[in-house]
Structure formats: C-alpha cells, structure tokens
Amino acid sequence: MLRVNFSVKLGFYTPLILAFLCSACSPQQQAETGLNAPEFVKDTSLCNFSQASCYKQVAGIDLSLLITPFNTPSEKPLTLVIASSEAINDVTMRIEGRDMFMGVIPVKLSKLNEKQYNGQLIFGSCSSNYMVWRAFVNFTKNGEPQVAIFDFLADSGE
C-alpha cells in the first residue's frame, strides 16, 4: 500500500489556495464594495415622494402613489396611499425589485373610499446601496384588468 505524506501535499497546495483567495477581488473591486463605493447617477424617472405623489395614467385614469416616510427606508414600516381620479375596483398591490429579485411583497390595502386606498409594508435592505423597487397596482375598471407601475428608490436620502 502506498503511503502519502499529508503534510507534504498540504505544503504544496497552501500557496495555491492563498493565491486564489487573494486574487478574488482586485483592490479596485474591494474599494467599490466598501465605504468608498462610487455614487450612482440619479434616475429622474423614479418617484420622488419628498417632492410629491407619483403619478401615472392608465386607461384614462389618473393614479397617484405616495409613500411615507418620503425617503422609503429599508426594514422600516412604510405607509402608502393610492388615489385614483375615478372609482376603481379589485385593487391589489405588490412590490418587487426592479433590477434584482428580492422576492414578491404583497401589500394589504384598505379601501378608504371608491377612489382611495391605503396600506403598510416593510421591505428588506440590499447590499448594493442602490435598490429600485417596483410597485404594481392592479385594478379593474368597467370589468377590464389594468395595471400601473411605479418605480422608486429605497433609502433615497431625499
């Protein structure tokens, strides 16, 4: 039977393992993932709740979404209000990550009147420092299903 000296093999592979581990991230990549990460270009198409409600028009109906606190902080309770220019029915809402999968977050809505709904939600944080969420507001008007899509930035700092 052939005996293998384990310490000799370990001594041979240790430098290779260390070289692999040390080359996983370049210094530039390490800096970008740390506190010195580059600033992202501001996307003006996103809802900015600190300025006003966000508006969309679907099938001739004006819809607005307002979320407070305005900076939409991650892992904190948020309150939202949906308002429409006309009476709508069967209103439901869900939140999803726009650019990455973060799960599907259903939002339980309460009907305030024929044109207003409110609800609360909490969404998780993202390690990228730039997380865009997409709110899908589904409803029916005259028996026809409709959807309005609102995109907004988490932890906006606005």
Side-chain angles (χ1 to χ4, degrees), residues 1-14:
M1 186 187 290
L2 182 62
R3 287 189 171 187
V4 178
N5 188 340
F6 183 71
S7 63
V8 172
K9 282 196 170 202
L10 184 60
F12 174 75
Y13 289 112
T14 301

Side-chain angles (χ1 to χ4, degrees), residues 37-101:
E39 291 295 318
F40 292 95
V41 176
K42 187 172 185 178
D43 183 349
T44 57
S45 70
L46 300 177
C47 296
N48 185 343
F49 301 116
S50 67
Q51 292 181 351
S53 295
C54 199
Y55 293 93
K56 300 289 176 177
Q57 189 175 65
V58 177
I61 298 171
D62 295 321
L63 290 161
S64 68
L65 173 67
L66 181 64
I67 299 179
T68 54
F70 301 130
N71 64 334
T72 57
S74 298
E75 301 178 344
K76 304 278 187 212
L78 304 172
T79 300
L80 60 92
V81 176
I82 299 168
S84 64
S85 60
E86 299 177 28
I88 55 178
N89 299 306
D90 307 316
V91 180
T92 62
M93 183 176 179
R94 74 182 189 277
I95 306 286
E96 297 179 11
R98 182 188 72 177
D99 303 318
M100 67 182 75
F101 183 72

